[in-house]
Amino acid sequence: MKFNVLHTEWSGGWGGQEIRVLLDIQVLTSLGHAAAVLSGPDSQITARAREAGVRVIEQPLRHAFDLIALGRLVSLLRREKFDVVNTHSSVDSWLASAAAKIVGGPVLIRTRHLSVPLRTHPLNFVYRWPDGLVTTAETIRRRLIEVNGLDGRRVKTIPTGVDLARFDPGLDPGSIRTELGLNPDHRIVTMVAVLRSWKRHEVFLEAAAELASARPELRFLVVGEGPRRPNIEDKIKSLSLEDKVLLTGHRSDVPRLLALSDVCVLTSESSEGVPQAILQYQAMNKPVVACRAGGIPEVVEHERTGLLGPVNDPKAVAGAVARLLDDPALARRLAHSGRRQVEERFSLKAMAESTLDFYEMLYWKKKGRNRND
């Protein structure tokens, strides 16, 4: 069957969660389903969805008890008869979930993107309302079941898929090296992440300082934008890395940046599901160094699909990067294993199939029928 799906997102920022919401919608519409995003008029996902040709329903959501917004959501759901309502953040989950319960028709799904522990407070029943929950990593799913007591039959892990056509290892980076002021003999170590506290860019920069002192050919790319940019700029200055580190800001050509990279790093200390950045590194056939945070160990298996170390340990990060730079055979083996893993488990096709399978199971269950009837 073809679904009519409404995704809701209250967040005003732009990062992995918002990218996943937009990607879910684009994949569904490419397969002939109807899908839209409900978000605030000033949010970044609203602007980017419009740019991508995605249907946007603008609705200010002031707080979880915004009765005006609730009334408008009830009217919207009754009028448009969505089959599925998929919520993503706190405020939109309270309001859209309440509206779906009042209307009684659509399948209600809540996606949990981050591995931040969920409070077990009895009033936090917004996670008990949905017909199903999606998590982006198995570690998040296990905690919801084991700690929060949710029924495992209605919680499914669906990591974000990667567009393997876009993240193609054979991609020519073109003139981007010249554009960034990099010489042909520079070796590039790259980290792609929103500039947020838990990504721990400071760890990456401290590792860069340790490596740069003995390896003048290295340059370090920090790809992304976010609220901690001033802190990161200060850190670069304090480590005297101004001529070694390039802050690129947000880039729409991440595959080209990865194409010229020798090693790719993620130094998160917490909150992660399965990070899109790591899957993109692996899709581009690049060796990965990462830390044991959230769902990262689900995709970076030490010595098989990357090198994995403790959180907040710049020396360990520096040592792992140096090992990959000095051992091309190891770097190639890990990179090839990572690419193969993404092809087998983390493509857009795999994400779409898992999503639609979950929708169908919940849809027919809600109607009291077996989907094969």
Side-chain angles (χ1 to χ4, degrees):
M1 66 172 292
K2 296 299 182 182
F3 288 99
N4 185 18
V5 182
L6 178 67
H7 284 268
T8 68
E9 178 55 81
W10 172 71
S11 166
W14 184 252
Q17 176 168 321
E18 296 78 21
I19 292 170
R20 166 63 182 267
V21 175
L22 194 54
L23 192 60
D24 269 332
I25 295 171
Q26 291 173 310
V27 169
L28 286 172
T29 55
S30 73
L31 296 173
H33 302 271
V37 61
L38 183 143
S39 52
D42 299 322
S43 68
Q44 291 198 51
I45 192 171
T46 294
R48 294 180 187 274
R50 290 196 190 284
E51 290 172 4
V54 167
R55 184 189 176 200
V56 177
I57 301 171
E58 290 188 15
Q59 174 58 59
L61 304 173
R62 296 175 297 169
H63 48 72
F65 303 101
D66 186 344
L67 296 182
I68 294 175
L70 176 61
R72 288 174 177 166
L73 285 172
V74 169
S75 297
L76 174 70
L77 298 188
R78 284 178 173 157
R79 182 175 66 251
E80 302 228 5
K81 301 187 185 308
F82 291 102
D83 301 305
V84 178
V85 173
N86 193 155
T87 73
H88 293 270
S89 289
S90 58
V91 171
D92 66 277
S93 288
W94 281 101
L95 291 170
S97 296
K101 287 295 181 182
I102 291 169
V103 172
V107 171
L108 177 61
I109 296 174
R110 168 67 149 105
T111 299
R112 182 74 175 168
H113 295 264
L114 302 178
S115 61
V116 177
L118 179 67
R119 291 187 299 172
T120 56
H121 194 286
L123 294 180
N124 195 19
F125 49 83
V126 72
Y127 279 88
R128 301 192 181 277
W129 276 349
D131 300 292
L133 294 100
V134 172
T135 64
T136 57
E138 188 61 23
T139 186
I140 305 174
R141 178 180 183 271
R142 286 197 302 268
R143 183 175 178 86
L144 290 176
I145 296 167
E146 296 169 4
V147 177
N148 301 108
L150 300 184
D151 183 351
R153 292 171 295 182
R154 64 187 188 96
V155 186
K156 183 168 184 173
T157 299
I158 308 177
T160 302
V162 180
D163 184 344
L164 296 177
R166 181 169 178 245
F167 288 88
D168 177 1
L171 178 69
D172 182 355
S175 61
I176 196 166
R177 186 178 285 268
T178 302
E179 175 193 329
L180 296 176
L182 299 169
N183 297 328
D185 58 344
H186 283 147
R187 304 190 73 186
I188 311 301
V189 182
T190 298
M191 178 163 160
V192 180
V194 177
L195 308 186
R196 289 177 175 152
S197 59
W198 66 80
K199 301 293 186 177
R200 296 296 288 133
H201 287 83
E202 293 84 355
V203 172
F204 178 66
L205 295 173
E206 289 171 18
E210 184 161 330
L211 289 161
S213 60
R215 298 170 184 261
E217 77 282 6
L218 290 185
R219 294 295 182 270
F220 302 87
L221 300 186
V222 175
V223 183
E225 195 53 82
R228 286 190 61 81
R229 185 183 184 98
N231 308 74
I232 293 168
E233 290 174 337
D234 289 344
K235 186 70 172 181
I236 291 170
K237 291 176 184 176
S238 71
L239 294 170
S240 300
L241 289 173
E242 293 97 326
D243 62 339
K244 303 288 186 179
V245 176
L246 286 78
L247 276 170
T248 71
H250 173 76
R251 301 281 301 213
S252 59
D253 58 349
V254 169
R256 293 174 66 214
L257 293 168
L258 297 181
L260 61 79
S261 301
D262 295 281
V263 177
C264 295
V265 178
L266 192 67
T267 53
S268 301
E269 67 176 355
S270 64
S271 301
E272 296 287 5
V274 169
Q276 295 174 47
I278 286 181
L279 296 177
Q280 291 168 1
Y281 299 164
Q282 292 175 332
M284 289 298 293
N285 204 31
K286 298 299 176 178
V288 175
V289 173
C291 302
R292 292 186 181 90
I296 290 175
E298 295 176 29
V299 290
V300 181
E301 183 180 338
H302 188 57
E303 303 278 1
R304 193 183 76 81
T305 57
L307 297 181
L308 200 59
V311 299
N312 294 322
D313 190 337
K315 288 188 179 298
V317 172
V321 171
R323 185 180 171 198
L324 292 172
L325 292 171
D326 294 338
D327 190 342
L330 173 65
R332 283 194 299 272
R333 177 173 65 80
L334 298 180
H336 293 337
S337 294
R339 170 70 188 189
R340 187 164 57 249
Q341 171 181 255
V342 174
E343 290 174 339
E344 293 172 355
R345 298 173 52 203
F346 299 105
S347 66
L348 285 182
K349 181 175 182 288
M351 183 183 79
E353 289 176 349
S354 292
T355 299
L356 291 170
D357 181 72
F358 198 44
Y359 283 2
E360 288 194 13
M361 185 271 288
L362 295 173
Y363 179 83
W364 293 116
K365 182 179 179 181
K366 193 175 184 72
K367 289 187 174 298
R369 295 165 52 189
N370 188 304
R371 60 177 151 177
N372 295 319
D373 290 347

